[in-house]
Amino acid sequence: MDKKNGSVVTEFILQGFSAGWELQIVFFVTFSLIYAATVLGNALTMVTVTCSSTLRSPMYFLLGNLSFLDMCLSTVTTPKMIRDLLTEHKTISIWGCMAQMFFMHLFGGAEMTLLVAMAFDRYVAICKPLHYRKIMNHRLLNGFVILSWTIGFIHTMSQMVLTVNLPFCGPRIIDNIFCDLPLVIQLACVETYTLELFVIADSGLLSLICFLLLLVSYTVLLATVQRRSSGGLSKALSTLSAHITVVSLFFGPCIFIYAWPFKSFASNKVLAVFYTVFTPLLNPIIYTLRNQKMQEAMKKLRFQNVSST
């Protein structure tokens, strides 16, 4: 550790995209529009679920919480990335970097757990429809939400408590669009091989275990839907396909980033953009545009607002 000349790092440099100014402007406009659509779409979903009397089922309660997590996850990284596209010196303070990593893993871990809870909700709705309301009661739903936040908090704290006091006194360039644990840990002035393995085990295994649980549950659900020929199950299949799409697009980049060899993380900027910018927009698009009940509830609320004015 080289502290003799006082070169203690107080900020990091985010390398971002290596592109000309013309392409940077294109990225700025594109990502700004996507972020605005993400915030608006998820906020609209939350307001509709909260205010509509026709969306009182457990699925929409969980969907509203998922929209909140998506909006928070996008807000942690995207505004900073958008601002950096117009600046030559893309810096972030060391504590700003730590905060970014803390909230990314908090919201990410909570969302993974909540997606598992949504899969359980679909399992009960399709496989045990007569007992759906009894099983998916308010106590269980509140328990799912508390559990998701608890797992997210434990997930991020277990990593950040080992990272926050690392000494940084050498290289300070992060070859990505935001701070995340793998690249930041590599900049520490001490041997971090054990910590690197722990990060892979923590983030990678959490992602992989949740994804495998979801894969098994949706396989069972698809098999159940296929065995039944009732016309009402076509609607269940449509809803189920929307869930599977969201799960695949959310977990795919996450597993690839953390389950892949540690040194190759720096080459995954495209996956980082997809995970933090595009994925949070998918939920309002998939659940809103494909869900007729949600569309009808939005129209009804809009009509009520127009009538009241």
Side-chain angles (χ1 to χ4, degrees):
M1 184 166 55
D2 179 21
K3 285 189 177 182
K4 293 180 180 180
N5 54 8
S7 57
V8 177
V9 172
T10 59
E11 63 181 17
F12 295 113
I13 299 174
L14 298 171
Q15 197 154 346
F17 298 103
S18 301
W21 277 106
E22 296 81 3
L23 193 56
Q24 297 265 27
I25 296 297
V26 173
F27 286 154
F28 173 81
V29 174
T30 302
F31 293 151
S32 296
L33 292 175
I34 292 175
Y35 178 67
T38 298
V39 173
L40 181 62
N42 283 294
L44 184 61
T45 300
M46 289 188 293
V47 170
T48 303
V49 170
T50 302
C51 298
S52 176
S53 59
T54 61
L55 301 178
R56 297 301 181 189
S57 70
M59 184 186 79
Y60 293 106
F61 173 80
L62 295 175
L63 176 59
N65 283 274
L66 183 66
S67 294
F68 176 75
L69 288 172
D70 272 332
M71 188 168 62
C72 292
L73 182 62
S74 179
T75 301
V76 170
T77 57
T78 308
K80 167 67 175 169
M81 182 195 67
I82 292 173
R83 189 186 69 179
D84 285 346
L85 287 170
L86 297 182
T87 59
E88 185 176 353
H89 302 288
K90 303 172 176 61
T91 60
I92 183 171
S93 69
I94 187 169
W95 288 110
C97 188
M98 295 297 169
Q100 196 175 64
M101 293 187 293
F102 174 86
F103 286 110
M104 269 193 64
H105 288 269
L106 171 65
F107 298 134
E111 183 161 346
M112 291 178 194
T113 310
L114 194 64
L115 287 170
V116 175
M118 293 179 72
F120 178 78
D121 170 76
R122 290 301 85 203
Y123 168 80
V124 176
I126 294 174
C127 298
K128 300 179 182 296
L130 298 179
H131 304 282
Y132 179 66
R133 288 288 183 178
K134 183 178 180 180
I135 296 174
M136 299 301 296
N137 53 58
H138 288 292
R139 183 178 180 181
L140 182 63
L141 291 174
N142 291 330
F144 277 147
V145 174
I146 294 173
L147 179 64
S148 67
W149 281 99
T150 301
I151 290 179
F153 181 76
I154 294 174
H155 166 63
T156 192
M157 282 299 296
S158 65
Q159 299 177 99
M160 293 306 302
V161 73
L162 300 174
T163 306
V164 69
N165 289 321
L166 285 175
F168 299 97
C169 54
R172 60 193 186 106
I173 298 177
I174 300 175
D175 187 21
N176 211 329
I177 59 173
F178 56 81
C179 291
D180 202 7
L181 283 166
L183 291 178
V184 173
I185 290 173
Q186 290 178 0
L187 299 179
C189 302
V190 294
E191 176 59 46
T192 58
Y193 179 74
T194 303
L195 182 56
E196 292 175 8
L197 291 180
F198 177 75
V199 168
I200 293 175
D202 194 326
S203 296
L205 284 178
L206 177 63
S207 304
L208 193 59
I209 289 172
C210 288
F211 182 72
L212 290 177
L213 287 174
L214 290 165
L215 186 64
V216 171
S217 63
Y218 283 129
T219 300
V220 172
L221 289 173
L222 287 172
T224 303
V225 170
Q226 190 175 13
R227 286 198 305 266
R228 300 180 184 180
S229 58
S230 173
L233 285 177
S234 61
K235 181 180 178 181
L237 183 59
S238 176
T239 303
L240 198 58
S241 65
H243 281 258
I244 293 173
T245 302
V246 170
V247 166
S248 301
L249 294 174
F250 178 82
F251 279 93
C254 189
I255 292 174
F256 190 91
I257 288 173
Y258 287 101
W260 207 250
F262 202 89
K263 298 299 182 182
S264 68
F265 181 86
S267 64
N268 295 331
K269 289 183 185 179
V270 174
L271 290 175
V273 170
F274 191 86
Y275 177 68
T276 59
V277 178
F278 291 99
T279 301
L281 180 62
L282 295 176
N283 284 337
I285 290 178
I286 291 175
Y287 287 115
T288 302
L289 297 181
R290 290 173 55 92
N291 193 312
Q292 185 177 0
K293 193 172 182 180
M294 180 72 78
Q295 292 179 3
E296 291 175 353
M298 288 180 178
K299 291 178 182 178
K300 185 176 180 180
L301 287 176
R302 185 166 62 247
F303 178 76
Q304 290 176 348
N305 290 334
V306 172
S307 299
S308 61
T309 55

